[in-house]
Amino acid sequence: MILGNSRNVSAPVAPFSPPVGAERVIAHRGFSGRYPENTRSAFDAAWNSGARVLETDVQVTADGVAIAFHDARLDRLTDLEGTPADYSFAELQRAVVRGPEGTVGGIMQMADLLGSFPNAQFIVDLKDERAIEPLAKAIVTTNSAPRVCVTHAWDAWLEGVREIVGPELQRGLGWETMAALVNAARRGVAPDPAIRVGNYAHIGWQIAGIKQAADQQFFRRYVDMAHDLGVAVRVWTINSPRQMARLFDDGADAIFTDHVDVGLRVVAEKFGL
């Protein structure tokens, strides 16, 4: 019931340490509040601002290349139509990614992104089952498994990446195990220890009108249960300094934000850097 259609977890959960210092701030698709999301300029700006954890998303092209791109379709962000899988990577290199205030950028290969920031930690949202093998190849090619966390997908997909890459790969709880933790926190019943298949639990502020981290009582219970399991809690996507401060007060280990400068300022005030 917990793992749904997932196969059994194939390896011990990789060792990890709770986020500290600048690791408490996760650059959501890079510095996406100012630059076109998931582009080199957004990641360069995030890193240069002091962020040390970069979040991205993976889609796959027609020729099997893992790319850093969030949407299932290209229309919202680029001058192309259709899906990433409708184009080869060479064709997607001609795409113009639109950002805030008229900024533009290009689509990156995942291997290029991982290799360009050898000292960064990465959180990768696995958006398409077809991207499992291409993503795993990019991680292996760049020898980046210990600093990559795959997440935001079905448990079977996440475990599929880890089976190829190896046990050093970090992973978050998948949709099934995450739902089990949320359900336990809602009910006030201790979760089954078997759901501890990853090192991180992610949760939103509010999803489809339903309060998640915004519900302070629920969130505190959720954090306590996650920490009892040995799982760190990361909240997405928070751009308000007031909300950031409240979440850290309530035990959040890290927050995703489009504005890394704001997040780093809050962390410096609360914890020092």
Side-chain angles (χ1 to χ4, degrees), residues 116-196:
S116 295
F117 297 89
N119 297 313
Q121 298 178 45
F122 280 91
I123 299 170
V124 181
D125 285 11
L126 182 56
K127 296 298 186 183
D128 188 332
E129 185 176 13
R130 293 170 295 181
I132 290 174
E133 290 190 14
L135 172 60
K137 180 180 178 181
I139 295 170
V140 170
T141 300
T142 55
N143 194 32
S144 54
R147 59 190 182 89
V148 173
C149 174
V150 292
T151 188
H152 285 191
W154 300 107
D155 280 284
W157 294 10
L158 302 177
E159 201 58 29
V161 180
R162 198 166 68 144
E163 286 179 351
I164 299 170
V165 172
E168 289 185 315
L169 182 71
Q170 302 282 321
R171 61 159 287 192
L173 302 188
W175 296 135
E176 300 99 319
T177 44
M178 183 73 67
L181 180 57
V182 169
N183 186 50
R186 290 289 186 202
R187 296 169 57 206
V189 177
D192 185 337
I195 70 172
R196 205 263 180 172

Side-chain angles (χ1 to χ4, degrees), residues 26 28 125 151-152 173-175 178-179 181-182 185-186 200-220 222-223 232-239 243-244 246-247 250 252 254-257:
I26 300 163
H28 183 241
D125 285 11
T151 188
H152 285 191
L173 302 188
W175 296 135
M178 183 73 67
L181 180 57
V182 169
R186 290 289 186 202
Y200 302 95
H202 295 169
I203 191 166
W205 178 260
Q206 183 167 290
I207 303 171
I210 300 173
K211 289 184 177 181
Q212 296 280 312
D215 181 337
Q216 192 169 33
Q217 182 178 19
F218 160 77
F219 181 68
R220 287 175 174 173
Y222 181 90
V223 168
V233 174
R234 303 192 285 206
V235 187
W236 52 273
T237 300
I238 309 300
N239 294 320
Q243 291 176 356
M244 291 176 186
R246 201 223 82 188
L247 290 166
D250 289 339
I255 54 99
F256 296 79
T257 182

Side-chain angles (χ1 to χ4, degrees), residues 20-194:
V20 295
E23 295 173 357
R24 294 180 178 273
V25 177
I26 300 163
H28 183 241
R29 307 176 198 170
F31 200 151
S32 56
R34 292 187 184 172
Y35 300 88
E37 64 181 57
N38 281 327
T39 63
R40 184 176 297 277
S41 59
F43 293 117
D44 279 340
W47 182 261
N48 292 336
S49 295
R52 293 299 175 257
V53 185
L54 308 177
E55 187 268 352
T56 188
D57 312 274
V58 61
Q59 299 280 4
V60 66
T61 66
D63 50 343
V65 176
I67 59 170
F69 198 80
H70 176 271
D71 292 7
R73 295 188 60 84
L74 298 162
D75 310 53
R76 178 180 71 90
L77 291 168
T78 80
D79 55 347
L80 297 179
E81 297 181 347
T83 74
D86 292 332
Y87 298 85
S88 69
F89 179 68
E91 291 170 326
L92 285 179
Q93 285 185 293
R94 300 197 299 267
V96 175
V97 182
R98 297 181 290 263
E101 300 178 3
T103 55
V104 296
I107 294 175
M108 297 187 71
Q109 284 194 57
M110 188 62 64
D112 185 24
L113 175 57
L114 296 175
S116 295
F117 297 89
N119 297 313
Q121 298 178 45
F122 280 91
I123 299 170
V124 181
D125 285 11
L126 182 56
K127 296 298 186 183
D128 188 332
E129 185 176 13
R130 293 170 295 181
I132 290 174
E133 290 190 14
L135 172 60
K137 180 180 178 181
I139 295 170
V140 170
T141 300
T142 55
N143 194 32
S144 54
R147 59 190 182 89
V148 173
C149 174
V150 292
T151 188
H152 285 191
W154 300 107
D155 280 284
W157 294 10
L158 302 177
E159 201 58 29
V161 180
R162 198 166 68 144
E163 286 179 351
I164 299 170
V165 172
E168 289 185 315
L169 182 71
Q170 302 282 321
R171 61 159 287 192
L173 302 188
W175 296 135
E176 300 99 319
T177 44
M178 183 73 67
L181 180 57
V182 169
N183 186 50
R186 290 289 186 202
R187 296 169 57 206
V189 177
D192 185 337

